[in-house]
Amino acid sequence: PPAARHSGKQSGLTSSQRSALAQFTSFTQCPEKIAAKFLKSHSWNVEVAVDSYFSSNNAAGSAPSPSAGVSISSIHKVFDKYRERNDPQDVINVNGTMAYIQGLGMDLEEPAVLALCEALKAPTMGEFSRNEFVEGWKNMGCDTIEKMRAKIPELRNNISNDEATFKRVYLFTYTFARPPGQKSLPLDTAIEYWKLLLERKWKTHINLWIEFLEKEYKRSIAKDTWNMLYDFMGLCNNDPELKSYDEEGAWPSILDSFVAFVRRKAGGDMDTS
């Protein structure tokens, strides 16, 4: 059965394309016509299309490029400093990655690490690839470890205070955290990242969500579930008892089960304050 349902406003689209359209518009708040254009241009891959949308919007600014005057060879030197001898030529593996993040003055478990990994297009946990590392730091105008370290407060501020940055990092995290070769995210991994990213923002309903997953769902997490949970938590924040939740809307079916779980608890000991 399809993972999500839709109200049917979009004609000529498959159910998966309608779901992708709903996810794209929920993250970007752009008109459906623009959403469809970006999705079609990127084979209906929501993550790639959203990244392209935000990148194109950022490129529209008139500020001088931060990459002006950046030494590419210096960025390569930083990369090679943290690449261990047994690592592939163009990869920093887990030990070097941990040393590099700590060398930037970051806590390995702080949300800003995800913002850094998104900016450098890290392919998976514990790994940086050379081309994306160099391109990312070039775009941020940093070519020495000192300049990179000085950039970290801005990354922390953006993920804490800029909604577009936070959504982009959240969307990136699913593929980043998913084990290579697997189609879905293991439940325990998803829970840890939801705690890291969303618990401070929506503590009550995130805790309920995790309780539901551990007690009733007990399965790995699909990408559309991850993507649309962000928008769903915004709904929960505005409507704690979920009275306005529309079972016929473009939500993954797992959320129908969660809403039923919340409504059952509402008559008992649930606190949605």
Side-chain angles (χ1 to χ4, degrees), residues 54-66:
F54 283 122
S55 297
S56 65
N57 281 355
N58 290 340
S62 58
S65 171

Side-chain angles (χ1 to χ4, degrees), residues 103-161:
L104 293 174
M106 304 182 80
D107 186 321
L108 291 170
E109 297 184 357
E110 65 172 298
V113 169
L114 292 172
L116 173 67
C117 290
E118 190 276 333
L120 301 181
K121 299 295 180 283
T124 189
M125 288 188 290
E127 185 177 306
F128 289 112
S129 53
R130 184 183 297 273
N131 288 343
E132 289 74 15
F133 183 95
V134 171
E135 187 68 15
W137 280 122
K138 183 189 78 171
N139 291 338
M140 289 187 280
C142 302
D143 54 11
T144 66
I145 191 68
E146 292 77 17
K147 291 178 182 177
M148 294 171 185
R149 194 177 294 126
K151 192 73 173 178
I152 301 307
E154 181 180 330
L155 292 177
R156 289 189 177 117
N157 180 69
N158 287 346
I159 196 170
S160 297
N161 300 310

Side-chain angles (χ1 to χ4, degrees), residues 173-244:
T173 297
Y174 182 87
T175 301
F176 171 76
R178 186 178 59 193
Q182 294 194 20
K183 293 183 178 181
S184 57
L185 190 62
L187 180 59
D188 58 346
T189 303
I191 287 173
E192 288 306 309
Y193 279 99
W194 274 322
K195 286 179 178 178
L196 177 65
L197 288 167
L198 302 184
E199 192 171 46
R200 281 175 290 184
K201 203 172 173 66
W202 295 303
K203 182 174 182 179
T204 296
H205 279 89
I206 282 295
N207 288 341
L208 281 168
W209 172 245
I210 292 170
E211 180 185 352
F212 160 74
L213 293 173
E214 292 178 333
K215 286 184 176 180
E216 298 193 6
Y217 190 69
K218 302 179 182 179
R219 298 193 293 277
S220 59
I221 300 300
K223 189 172 185 178
D224 67 328
T225 298
W226 177 273
N227 286 354
M228 297 194 74
L229 186 75
Y230 188 95
D231 203 47
F232 176 78
M233 283 295 154
L235 171 66
C236 292
N237 189 58
N238 294 325
D239 179 13
E241 296 182 7
L242 296 171
K243 293 179 179 178
S244 63

Side-chain angles (χ1 to χ4, degrees), residues 68-126:
V70 170
S71 170
I72 301 301
S73 62
S74 294
I75 305 176
H76 280 285
K77 288 179 182 178
V78 175
F79 186 91
D80 287 324
K81 176 182 177 181
Y82 288 94
R83 184 181 64 83
E84 295 190 325
R85 183 165 45 185
N86 293 329
D87 288 347
Q89 180 67 26
D90 293 324
V91 175
I92 299 176
N93 275 326
V94 62
N95 291 334
T97 293
M98 292 173 64
Y100 177 64
I101 290 171
Q102 291 171 332
L104 293 174
M106 304 182 80
D107 186 321
L108 291 170
E109 297 184 357
E110 65 172 298
V113 169
L114 292 172
L116 173 67
C117 290
E118 190 276 333
L120 301 181
K121 299 295 180 283
T124 189
M125 288 188 290

